[in-house]
């Protein structure tokens, strides 16, 4: 199938630039339009008429439609989204998806108010088109070729973009391609000789201090903060050589906000990497911190080319653009089966991306959601990354330009690998299983000897996720797809036959095993399992033994869960034992079906291992890479996933046996849009730091666990809980501990208030309280909720009220934007307000006035589900609940004051909040219990907010 449109082009005549249509801005509760006559405010009805009635400029068509109470719009020649123009003109560069974000991205002042935003939107469009018309615009030929393809596809910006590019001379070409085939123009990676084992040269405290001084000077900071220097000196301990196997150098270091811990640990880490020719791994929990660390590495290597060699941001394979998927989507879209405009803009990004990272990298995550495009046709991460382990590795025609392969190879020779907890732990678990069988660890993670876990307070949760097992309808359906490939019409993907067929063609037993695996996988659930085991009609019709098991599991869930806990917010869960008889009976059939899949997969894995062994001298690098890649996928499923599932099912048949004291097994059902979405049998470690210690901590030589919130002053030893939740409590050599206080003056710059007269269970009172507090602050406010249902209820009441005073309100789970994009808008618009849940609390890094008030709707107690209750019993009862709530409050407070000149108010709208839960706040924070009226007065006086209009 051709990958490009080739046609004979007639002599090109530059078209005159068309005038820009009116620009429409619709912040909550307001609307404004800007045309040739200037900007003016309009009503909602007029705004709806402009939006639907003719050519108009908008910023985020989907969000604009929602603000107007309309359904997401389809693409139209009349609907020109300036964000799409930005994605074309400035690919792989950051922009918050709003009129203010566009203005700030262009170096303009933040537009305040609907009229200013409409005017800024028109100015942004004109500026971007002027950039294209500049003869110095880079790679104009390639841009013009792709713009023509977009124009033919009906892109609203097509005529204006091609006219702007053609306003300066272009080479005449008789034949032009589509411009979509970026895979043919990307640079190839080049392999290098292995670096070998890192050395053992120590890093002394003085060397760390000296390196820190140089980093601060390179960052334009003249003075060294004593606490930061002390932190760097102590952090050097984690980079000293260990004396015995299994006795790593571990340091638990709490550094208050503003200490400068990132440069503090980069100093000894970079010295160690330099002296020992090895890679120091920096692991984070959030994508935002990965980006921040990457930015701060500029101080180490100001030269961009050198920095790209020395620092690599590393994520799991499922985060990176798959060029083969992009090619498949491009070919399909050119035949009319897909969103050609979205694919073309994604291809434009791919050509300019630093590393192809689509989730938290330089891909504009808001791009696929601008217009109403079917989920399967969207050119976004959901369809363009390898989420199902279908990679064919060296058999892929784009293997030499693959973003994942480039990143893996770069990490092997980097000095700093900036990864995330999930990748580090899943890779470590896989390597641990290989070592247990006497096999070598992965070449990349074999370098995981010096690790800094930033955001270390999340290690427990990350380990809980990495070392758990879920036998679910969705997981088993994914396994079926991985083995059998796509089985529906119009679906893309590659099954085992496509990935392994050539590798097993010469061996009868291997060919038979492949056939047996594909046949046995038919017992796994196919697409639409939820419609068969939980149909709206109630007529359950499971297909095969595994669906029968999930149907029985749902029967037990409904029997054991109270009706009040079966709503869309909660889903359902119940203990596995005692199991109803249908569940026990179907478990036997499900286990037998899984064993029939596991056996041939093991045969295939052994066959590939034999090839690597027997043909070691003949295999070229490409063939070896393909076999090793295929083998990793087989090993994960045949030696880890399937045995874990069978073990869980076996526990059902041992009804009289004592439960394993180390695990919790339970049944759960997830609910989406009022219907059962998935059913699962789950197994979690009660203490997931047991495998964390074995797989990650013990094999390492040095580990630094750091955070602004590690200690708990209410414990006998403030670091007891940190030792417990980081896997260091059982080490032979106890970890060192360090606590460095924040340099900020919290007594002067912050207020902590518990509001005493708001009924936390009444969303009307919560909404009214937040409304008055947000108005008193003049915006810049974040409301945090412990339940999505309450967030939505408050949003419905709060949004119109704030809009009347010119304060835009955004909300997670309401606005059609991912959390990262919402936070970007919140950061860009100084007076906006945001409502969110835990994901917002953990991902917010908003220094300055954009975040000056933070309000919890109630105490963030841990949810008392089956797993938490087991852990509470193991780890100290009510004191454990207190410690977790205290840590969440401290973490949220840490989002409020990010710089020395920040001022902020922290509020809890829960009169019952115990004083002991605020003990982890920094010294100088005085808790006040005030009525709502008193709190409003204090907020307004402290933040010097103007009177609301």
């Amino acid at each position: 199938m051709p990958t490009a449109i080739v046609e004979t082009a007639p002599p090109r005549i530059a078209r005159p630039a068309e005038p820009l249509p009116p620009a429409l801005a619709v912040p909550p509760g307001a609307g404004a339009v800007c045309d040739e006559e200037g900007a003016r405010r309009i009503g909602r009805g007029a705004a709806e008429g402009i939006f639907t009635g003719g050519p108009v400029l908008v910023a985020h068509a989907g969000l604009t439609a929602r603000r107007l109470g309309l359904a997401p719009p389809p693409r139209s020649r009349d609907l020109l989204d300036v964000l799409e123009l930005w994605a074309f003109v400035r690919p792989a560069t950051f922009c918050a998806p709003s009129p203010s974000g566009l203005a700030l991205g262009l170096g303009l002042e933040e537009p305040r108010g609907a009229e200013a935003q409409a005017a800024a939107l028109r100015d942004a469009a004109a500026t971007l088109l002027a950039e294209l018309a500049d003869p110095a615009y880079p790679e104009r030929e390639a841009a013009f070729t792709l713009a023509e393809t977009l124009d033919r596809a009906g892109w609203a910006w097509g005529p204006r973009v091609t006219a702007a590019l053609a306003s300066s001379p272009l080479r005449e070409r008789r034949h032009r391609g589509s411009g979509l085939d970026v895979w043919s123009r990307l640079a190839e990676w080049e392999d290098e000789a292995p670096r070998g084992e890192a050395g053992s040269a120590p890093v002394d405290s003085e060397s760390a201090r000296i390196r820190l001084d140089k980093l601060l000077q390179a960052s334009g900071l003249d003075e060294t903060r004593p606490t930061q220097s002390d932190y760097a000196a102590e952090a050097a301990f984690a980079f000293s050589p260990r004396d015995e196997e299994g006795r790593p150098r571990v340091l638990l270091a709490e550094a208050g906000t503003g200490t400068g811990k990132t440069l503090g640990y980069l100093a000894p880490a970079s010295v160690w990497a330099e002296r020992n020719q090895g890679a120091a791994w920096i692991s984070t929990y959030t994508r935002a911190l990965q980006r921040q660390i990457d930015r701060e590495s500029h101080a180490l290597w100001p030269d961009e080319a050198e920095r790209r060699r020395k620092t690599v941001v590393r994520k799991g394979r499922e985060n990176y653009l798959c060029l083969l998927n992009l090619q498949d989507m491009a070919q399909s879209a050119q035949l009319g089966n897909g969103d050609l405009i979205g694919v073309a803009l994604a291809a434009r990004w791919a050509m300019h991306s630093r590393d192809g990272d689509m989730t938290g990298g330089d891909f504009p995550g808001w791009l696929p959601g601008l217009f109403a495009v079917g989920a399967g046709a969207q050119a976004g991460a959901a369809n363009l990354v390898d989420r199902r382990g279908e990679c064919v590795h060296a058999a892929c025609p784009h293997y030499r330009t693959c973003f994942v392969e480039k990143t893996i190879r770069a990490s092997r020779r980097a000095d700093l690998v900036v990864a995330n907890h999930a990748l580090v732990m899943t890779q470590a678990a896989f390597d641990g299983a290989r070592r247990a069988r006497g096999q070598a660890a992965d070449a990349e993670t074999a370098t995981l000897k010096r690790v800094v876990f930033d955001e270390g307070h999340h290690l427990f949760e990350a380990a809980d996720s990495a070392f758990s097992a879920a036998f679910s309808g969705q997981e088993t359906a994914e396994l079926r797809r991985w083995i059998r490939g796509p089985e529906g019409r119009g679906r893309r993907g590659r099954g085992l036959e496509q990935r392994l067929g050539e590798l097993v063609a010469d061996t009868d037993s291997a060919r038979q095993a492949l056939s047996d695996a594909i046949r046995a996988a038919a017992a796994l659930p196919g697409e639409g399992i939820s419609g068969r085991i939980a149909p709206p009609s109630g007529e359950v019709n499971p297909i095969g033994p595994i669906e029968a098991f999930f149907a029985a599991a749902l029967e037990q869930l409904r029997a054991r869960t109270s009706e009040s806990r079966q709503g869309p917010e909660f889903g359902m869960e119940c203990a596995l034992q005692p199991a109803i008889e249908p569940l026990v009976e179907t478990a036997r059939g499900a286990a037998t079906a899984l064993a029939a899949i596991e056996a041939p997969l093991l045969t295939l894995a052994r066959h590939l291992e034999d090839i690597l062994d027997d043909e070691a001298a003949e295999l070229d690098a490409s063939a070896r890479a393909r076999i090793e890649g295929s083998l990793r996928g087989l090993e994960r499923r045949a030696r880890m996933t399937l045995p874990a599932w069978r073990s869980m099912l076996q526990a059902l048949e041992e009804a009289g046996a004592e439960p394993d004291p180390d695990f919790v097994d339970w049944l759960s059902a997830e609910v989406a849009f009022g219907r059962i979405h998935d059913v699962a049998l789950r197994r979690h470690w009660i203490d997931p730091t047991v495998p964390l210690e074995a797989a990650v901590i013990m094999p390492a030589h040095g580990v630094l666990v750091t955070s602004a919130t590690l200690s708990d002053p209410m414990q006998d030893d403030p670091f007891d809980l940190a030792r417990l939740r980081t896997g260091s409590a059982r080490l032979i050599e106890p970890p060192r501990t360090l606590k460095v206080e924040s340099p900020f003056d919290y007594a002067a710059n912050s207020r902590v208030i518990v509001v005493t007269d708001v009924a936390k269970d009444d969303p009307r009172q919560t909404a009214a309280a937040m409304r008055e507090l947000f108005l008193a602050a003049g915006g810049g406010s974040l409301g945090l909720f412990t339940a999505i249902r309450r967030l939505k209820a408050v949003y419905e009441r709060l949004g119109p009220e704030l809009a009347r005073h010119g304060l835009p309100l955004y909300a997670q789970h309401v606005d059609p934007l991912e959390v990262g994009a919402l936070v970007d808008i919140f950061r860009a618009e100084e007076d906006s307000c945001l409502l969110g849940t835990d994901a917002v609390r953990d991902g917010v890094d908003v220094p300055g006035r954009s975040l000056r008030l933070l309000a919890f709707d109630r105490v963030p107690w841990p949810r008392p589900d089956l797993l938490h209750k087991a852990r509470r019993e193991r780890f100290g009862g009510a004191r454990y609940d207190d410690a977790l709530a205290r840590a969440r409050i401290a973490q949220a407070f840490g989002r409020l004051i990010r710089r020395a000149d920040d001022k902020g108010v922290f509020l809890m709208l829960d009169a019952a909040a115990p004083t002991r839960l605020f003990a982890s706040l920094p010294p100088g924070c005085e808790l006040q219990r005030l009525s709502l009226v008193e709190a409003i007065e204090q907020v307004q006086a402290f933040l010097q907010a103007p009177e609301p209009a």
Side-chain angles (χ1 to χ4, degrees):
M1 186 177 294
T3 61
I5 297 173
V6 179
E7 61 182 37
T8 300
R12 178 177 45 78
I13 300 175
R15 289 177 291 186
E18 299 181 39
L20 287 171
L24 177 67
V26 189
V33 65
C34 181
D35 53 22
E36 299 288 350
E37 298 178 0
R40 60 191 180 278
R41 186 171 287 246
I42 56 176
R44 175 171 171 171
E48 182 178 337
I50 292 172
F51 184 75
T52 59
V56 61
L57 300 177
V58 296
H60 206 295
L63 181 58
T64 304
R66 204 200 66 78
R67 295 286 191 211
L68 294 172
L70 302 173
R75 292 192 184 279
S76 164
R77 282 282 194 184
D78 287 339
L79 200 53
L80 292 85
D81 200 313
V82 184
L83 289 170
E84 283 195 333
L85 181 62
W86 173 283
F88 184 91
V89 179
R90 295 190 176 188
T93 57
F94 172 76
C95 171
S98 69
S100 297
L102 284 161
L104 293 170
L106 292 169
L108 307 174
E109 290 188 6
E110 179 193 346
R112 298 176 183 272
E115 296 97 320
Q117 289 186 17
L121 195 54
R122 211 156 186 272
D123 290 343
T127 301
L128 291 168
L129 289 173
E131 284 187 23
L132 290 177
D134 187 338
Y137 185 75
E139 302 177 10
R140 291 175 61 249
E141 296 282 344
F144 183 77
T145 299
L146 188 62
E148 285 190 315
T149 297
L150 283 161
D151 192 14
R152 290 192 295 268
W155 190 37
W157 286 104
R160 291 174 175 83
V161 167
T162 53
L165 288 166
S167 63
S168 295
L170 290 165
R171 285 179 293 173
E172 293 291 348
R173 292 185 177 179
R174 186 170 182 81
H175 300 285
R176 284 192 182 273
S178 67
L180 294 170
D181 56 340
V182 293
W183 47 84
S184 67
R185 290 176 277 133
L186 291 169
E188 294 186 351
W189 52 261
E190 295 183 3
D191 229 339
E192 295 184 8
R195 293 176 79 176
E197 188 79 16
S200 298
V203 178
D204 59 278
S205 297
E206 189 59 28
S207 295
R209 292 183 193 271
I210 293 171
R211 177 59 58 87
L212 176 62
D213 287 341
K214 292 181 178 178
L215 294 180
L216 292 170
Q217 292 171 11
S219 301
L221 302 172
D222 296 331
E223 61 180 75
T224 302
R225 286 165 282 183
T227 53
Q228 186 182 27
S229 183
D230 292 344
Y231 176 90
E234 292 294 327
F237 171 73
F239 296 93
S240 58
R242 66 181 184 180
D243 296 331
E244 294 180 35
E245 183 181 12
R247 302 186 70 163
R249 307 286 193 179
V250 178
L251 173 66
L252 306 181
E254 178 175 291
T257 305
T259 301
K261 69 178 185 301
T262 303
L263 288 180
Y265 60 65
L266 286 182
S270 60
V271 172
W272 179 86
E274 191 176 286
R275 290 180 178 177
N276 294 286
Q277 297 298 297
W281 283 61
I282 315 295
S283 179
T284 76
Y285 189 68
T286 61
R287 297 165 183 164
L289 187 55
Q290 274 189 295
R291 292 196 299 268
Q292 177 187 326
I293 294 168
D294 182 43
R295 288 195 301 269
E296 299 217 21
S297 70
H298 279 274
L300 282 165
W301 302 288
D303 179 74
E304 183 64 21
E306 182 181 18
R307 188 179 72 86
R308 290 196 176 201
R309 291 195 305 271
K310 298 286 191 178
T311 305
V312 173
V313 177
R314 184 74 175 89
K315 299 181 181 180
R317 181 176 293 271
E318 67 280 0
N319 292 278
Y320 296 94
L321 172 71
C322 169
L323 292 171
L324 191 54
N325 282 349
L326 177 63
Q327 182 181 13
D328 286 348
M329 286 198 76
Q331 292 172 339
S332 180
Q334 288 180 94
L335 295 174
N337 302 316
D339 178 24
L340 182 56
I341 294 171
V343 172
L345 291 172
R348 176 100 173 125
W349 162 79
M351 196 65 216
H352 293 82
S353 175
R354 172 185 170 180
D355 55 9
D357 179 4
M358 299 194 75
T359 59
D362 52 23
F363 180 75
W366 37 259
L367 186 58
L370 298 183
F371 294 96
V373 177
Q378 282 187 354
N383 294 314
L384 288 175
V385 301
D386 175 27
R387 289 197 184 280
R388 302 181 178 91
E390 295 172 342
C391 181
V392 295
H393 302 282
C396 177
H398 312 308
Y399 180 65
R400 299 289 303 183
T401 54
C402 174
F403 286 113
V404 177
E405 295 298 329
K406 286 179 182 177
T407 305
I408 290 173
R409 279 159 178 75
S411 70
R412 291 174 184 169
R413 58 180 183 272
D415 283 7
L416 295 178
V417 179
V418 185
N420 54 60
H421 297 350
L423 173 70
V424 169
M425 291 184 195
T426 54
Q427 288 290 94
F430 179 65
D431 288 344
R434 296 195 71 175
R435 282 193 295 268
R437 298 192 301 273
Q439 296 174 314
D442 183 270
E444 180 188 18
T445 48
T447 64
L448 228 169
K449 301 302 181 186
R450 305 286 174 174
V451 189
V452 176
F453 286 110
D454 203 341
E455 298 178 303
H457 57 279
H458 282 300
L459 265 185
F460 190 91
E461 289 81 5
D464 184 38
S465 177
F467 299 109
S468 62
F471 176 54
S472 72
Q474 297 298 321
E475 290 290 327
T476 50
E478 283 297 322
L479 179 59
R480 175 179 176 134
R481 182 185 179 94
W482 182 80
I483 295 173
R484 294 176 64 89
E487 297 175 282
R489 291 185 61 187
R491 295 192 176 271
R492 294 176 298 107
R494 293 163 287 278
L496 270 186
E497 178 67 45
Q498 288 178 279
R499 298 197 300 277
L500 299 183
E502 294 178 18
L503 298 176
V504 303
D506 297 334
T507 307
D508 291 342
S509 60
R511 282 203 315 274
Q512 184 61 49
L514 177 60
S515 177
D516 291 345
I518 293 171
R519 184 173 59 255
L524 294 166
E527 298 289 339
I529 175 180
S530 60
R532 293 187 293 275
I533 66 172
S537 65
E539 296 179 5
V540 178
N541 183 33
I543 299 176
I546 294 174
E547 288 193 12
F549 171 80
F550 290 128
L554 189 55
E555 184 180 337
Q556 177 165 319
L557 279 162
R558 285 172 169 151
R560 304 278 172 82
T561 308
S562 64
E563 291 185 7
S564 63
R565 300 292 294 181
Q566 294 185 17
E569 183 176 343
F570 302 106
M572 290 182 281
E573 68 170 31
C574 72
L576 183 61
Q577 298 289 3
I580 61 176
E581 188 58 31
L583 191 68
V584 176
E585 292 176 356
T586 55
R588 297 189 187 101
T592 300
L594 293 179
I597 300 168
E598 182 182 332
L601 292 184
L602 284 171
T603 299
L604 288 170
R606 287 191 289 267
H607 173 71
L608 296 185
E609 289 167 347
D610 289 343
I611 294 176
L612 290 176
D613 186 19
D614 299 340
E615 302 177 21
E618 292 82 22
L619 287 174
D620 59 30
S622 177
R624 177 175 291 277
R626 182 182 179 188
I627 293 171
E628 289 177 343
S630 301
L631 185 55
R632 280 194 295 270
L634 284 169
E635 287 184 323
R636 286 186 187 278
R637 291 160 179 85
R639 290 177 172 149
M640 297 175 70
T641 300
L642 284 164
W645 288 352
R646 288 196 299 105
S647 174
M648 294 158 67
L649 292 168
Q650 185 179 356
L652 273 166
E653 300 183 47
E654 301 169 357
E658 286 293 319
D660 192 318
D662 292 327
F663 296 97
V664 177
D665 290 358
W666 77 98
L667 299 173
S668 71
E670 296 178 9
V671 179
F673 305 107
R675 294 183 58 184
I676 299 294
H677 171 66
D678 198 12
V679 179
L681 167 58
R682 301 183 181 277
R683 168 171 289 180
H684 283 237
W685 285 84
I686 293 179
D687 183 358
T689 67
V690 173
L692 170 65
E693 177 196 12
V696 183
I697 308 295
M698 291 283 283
H701 291 212
V703 178
L704 168 62
V705 181
T706 189
S707 168
T709 53
L710 276 183
S711 67
D712 182 358
M714 301 299 285
Q715 306 285 330
D716 294 335
D717 181 329
F719 280 92
D720 270 352
L721 189 63
R723 293 187 188 92
L724 175 71
R725 289 174 61 84
T726 59
S728 60
R730 294 174 298 275
L731 292 174
I732 300 172
E733 183 174 325
R736 287 190 184 182
T737 59
L738 171 70
K739 182 170 182 176
V740 180
E741 298 290 355
S742 169
F744 296 157
D745 186 351
Y746 287 101
N749 292 355
S750 68
R751 296 290 183 267
V752 181
I753 300 171
V754 172
V755 178
T756 58
D757 56 352
V758 173
K760 65 182 180 181
D761 293 322
D762 185 348
R764 292 174 299 178
Q765 291 195 39
T766 302
M770 285 193 174
R771 177 192 67 218
E772 297 304 322
L773 290 165
F774 289 6
L775 289 173
S781 302
L782 173 63
L784 292 178
F785 292 78
T786 56
I788 297 171
R789 172 177 48 85
R790 289 196 299 273
L791 181 155
K792 291 181 176 179
V794 168
Y795 176 86
E796 292 301 322
R797 294 173 171 85
L798 189 59
E801 293 291 328
L802 293 181
R804 279 196 280 272
H805 295 278
L807 299 184
L809 177 67
Y810 300 93
Q812 183 191 11
H813 303 294
V814 176
D815 289 317
L817 291 166
E818 61 175 0
V819 170
L822 287 171
V823 173
D824 289 339
I825 295 175
F826 181 61
R827 185 186 297 110
E829 299 180 5
E830 192 172 89
D831 294 335
S832 64
C833 302
L834 176 63
L835 305 182
T837 56
D838 285 354
V840 172
R841 182 195 69 210
D842 294 333
V844 167
D845 181 19
V846 183
R849 280 184 53 80
S850 289
L851 176 53
R852 49 191 181 268
L853 183 144
L854 188 151
F856 262 110
D857 77 320
R858 60 181 60 199
V859 172
W861 295 111
R863 183 184 170 196
D865 54 24
L866 290 168
L867 181 59
H868 174 73
K869 287 192 284 188
R871 287 173 175 163
R872 179 170 58 194
E873 184 178 352
R874 173 77 61 91
F875 297 141
R879 293 179 62 198
Y880 183 64
D881 282 345
D882 279 5
L884 295 184
R886 198 157 36 239
R888 291 174 181 177
I889 290 172
Q891 289 151 21
F893 180 86
R895 306 290 95 192
L896 189 60
I897 308 293
R898 308 297 292 169
R899 302 188 309 211
D901 58 348
D902 280 357
K903 294 183 70 174
V905 179
F906 182 91
L907 293 125
M908 181 71 70
L909 304 180
D910 186 346
T915 300
R916 66 182 183 274
L917 298 185
F918 298 87
S920 289
L921 298 186
C925 294
E926 179 184 348
L927 177 65
Q928 303 177 75
R929 294 183 179 272
L930 305 175
S931 69
L932 178 59
V933 172
E934 293 170 327
I936 292 167
E937 292 174 350
Q938 182 154 149
V939 166
Q940 192 163 19
F942 180 67
L943 296 178
Q944 299 179 348
E947 290 287 339

